[in-house]
Amino acid sequence: MIQKSNGSGRRILTCPAIHPCDSISPATLLSSLIDLGRDVCSYKSKFFSVNKRNARETFRQITNLLLFFQEIRNTTSDPPASFVLSFSELHLTFQKLRFLLEDCTRDGARAWMLVNSDRVANQFQILIRGMATGLDVFPLSTVDVSIEAKELVELIIRQTRKATFQSDPEDKKAVEDLMRILKQFEEGTQPDPVEIKRILDHLGIRKWSDCNKEVKFLDSEIEIEFSNRETGGESELLSSLMGFMSYCRCVIFDSIDSENQHLNSSCNCNGALNGIDGDNLKCPISLEIMSDPVTLSTGHTYDRRSILKWFNSGNATCPKTGEKLTGTELVPNLVLKAMIQQFCAGNGIAVVAPSRKNRDISRTTEAGSLAGDEAVKMLARFLVNKLVNGNGEEMNKAAFEIRVLTKTSIFNRSCLVESGTIPPLLRLLSSKDNNTQENSMAALLNLSKLPKSKGVIVENKGLDSVVHVLRKGLKIEAQQHAAATLFYLASIEENRVLIGENPEAIPSLIDLIKKGNDRCKRNALVAIFGLLTHSGNHWRVLAAGAVPLLLNLLKDIEREDLVTDSLAVLATLAEKIDGAVAILRRGALPLLVGILCSSTSRTGKEYCVSLLLALCVNGGRDVVARLAKNPSLMASLYSQLSEGTSRGSKKASAIIRILHDYHEKSSSASVTPVLQRERFVHVS
């Protein structure tokens, strides 16, 4: 009956406790109450950064109460129904206490619990007095226990009624110190590191990873506030704490103790994930990898959006079994969700998150508070100084910190660019230390997402440095980041020209597709796709051998995203006659028709249809004749009219018209070519 929560799916300082059901037997309820009380007491062994004394008093009262419950269970095999009301109230209180203790001991939430220490103390008082209320209605005179046990209960009632819970004096002092430092940030005054360390020591934050957990937690809380459109004092305080903790992480801690110090892009997934078939992680309705898996009463799992759409269409059955459902309750499958996240991270697959958690990075254009604003600006100046004047280890750490800071915040990127981080980061790309080079390249990748950064990189002759890493990076991860950086830089027309004119850029991207891991392949493909929007790069991509490489990739690769990206590049190449000729001479038509018929990706099918249409237009009568003889093609094209994307539907319609025109002219024995004779290409 009691399930221990791990904090996921519940916002901190919320207590979603529920009353036991009315029909529960007194014996079962007593047993559950004892288990829950022991669970509460298990938190004794955990570290409390705040409200230590209140927690100790809570444990003392619960321990005494457990002695009473245990004696009841030992002496009364079948407790009367009159016990249920008291036990139910105590059960509810114990649940809330467990949630509160869970929050008090939660890694990453220590700063937030500190500034909420008065609120937490008040919660302790309310819940402890709730225990007195539950015991008040207990029929103590009817229970067959020792006089000592009854006296113990009466003592607990008196103490819990009179108990006064307040914040620890040490907590109050730490809050005052913290607020003073936030005020110093607002005024642009650099705080004393000794005072900062005193606060961190009080909270038990003694290393970089501890501080990093705080930053991640605060960021998630701000995200929830933003997604719920909640603004005001709490949002501002969260942002101020975020700036404070980001500053502490970079300035106070000299070394990084994280197991994955260099943020390698590839995920070392749990061994349990080895051999998992991605198809088993797909929703049976949408055939896409699930982002929010939920399980029905039949035991089958679907993506939440897909099954809700199924229900909203008037269906009351399990889509997979056809079994009529007794209810439409959806149970989140958290284990499968975690496996999907690990699988996707390890294989470079992007999954659309549920709407509430779909991160909107636009909310990070501002710091959210004056203290947060000034803290990041001070931090940016500190990091630039380390990049320029630090030793090798300090430079590497500064590059890594910039990499972390720029990963999810537009405001942080802007501050760091304005502080002048790009020129020294570009110089570090020539470092002989592979970690320094990788961290610098990853930091530049994140910065390149900011519009004004693109010009700064190019003005500082950064294109050549990025291409050098792309070609000769010391780690495959650095090459992977370089390819992605070229993609972002190529969003500007002038940069597409400059990148194309670099004789090593496009060949290096092609080489990365040949030799790199799956994420390298994808970054290189999207970079090439971006470069192809400049017509002058078309022949360069062809000359680098893209067509045979991508067609072989389509034959060998099973990952849907890589298939889609390869088709996108080929479809763009086929828009010109020389590209279409290169594709047709490789005998690609059967392969492309097979992909169109078997693919489960709407976007992939759209590019496949676009590619086939371009080949029809630029390939001539022989191409159309070959396609017209394929019996499975027409059905796939017609399915695109109703199931495909808007663009895919239009292009499928165009191919159908071409094929119909061919059949009509063939049946009338017309020898007039469907397309111009000079565009005729023999298809092997």
Side-chain angles (χ1 to χ4, degrees), residues 566-671:
S566 300
L567 290 170
V569 173
L570 289 169
T572 306
L573 291 172
E575 290 174 359
K576 294 188 177 183
I577 294 177
D578 53 350
V581 169
I583 294 169
L584 290 168
R585 284 179 175 166
R586 292 279 171 175
L589 284 181
L591 173 64
L592 300 177
V593 172
I595 292 173
L596 179 61
C597 296
S598 62
S599 176
T600 59
S601 167
R602 295 178 76 213
T603 306
K605 287 186 175 183
E606 177 192 318
Y607 282 122
C608 197
V609 169
S610 299
L611 175 52
L612 289 171
L613 178 60
L615 294 177
C616 286
V617 172
N618 290 322
R621 179 184 177 85
D622 192 34
V623 174
V624 179
R626 290 287 301 275
L627 292 177
K629 294 177 182 178
N630 194 309
S632 60
L633 175 61
M634 195 63 78
S636 296
L637 291 173
Y638 273 113
S639 70
Q640 284 299 291
L641 299 181
S642 58
E643 300 172 5
T645 64
S646 176
R647 286 185 300 179
S649 175
K650 291 177 182 178
K651 294 187 177 184
S653 179
I655 297 178
I656 290 171
R657 286 196 300 270
I658 290 174
L659 294 176
H660 280 170
D661 185 48
Y662 171 82
H663 282 298
E664 289 174 1
K665 293 184 178 182
S666 296
S667 61
S668 61
S670 171
V671 294

Side-chain angles (χ1 to χ4, degrees), residues 121-135:
N122 186 55
Q123 284 293 310
F124 271 114
Q125 178 156 315
I126 291 172
L127 294 174
I128 290 298
R129 291 188 177 176
M131 285 173 51
T133 302
L135 291 171

Side-chain angles (χ1 to χ4, degrees), residues 268-285:
N268 294 323
C269 296
N270 191 309
L273 295 179
N274 292 337
I276 280 186
D277 186 351
D279 289 339
N280 295 330
L281 306 178
K282 293 181 178 180
C283 173
I285 299 174

Side-chain angles (χ1 to χ4, degrees), residues 84 109 134 142 163 178 187 193 212 216 232 275 294 333 391 415 446 475 498 603 614 627 632 639-640 642 659 670 678:
V84 170
T142 65
L178 176 57
E187 296 169 349
N212 193 46
K216 288 184 175 182
V294 292
N333 193 327
N391 57 36
C415 285
N446 294 336
K475 296 175 71 176
L498 292 173
T603 306
L627 292 177
S632 60
S639 70
Q640 284 299 291
S642 58
L659 294 176
S670 171
E678 58 268 28

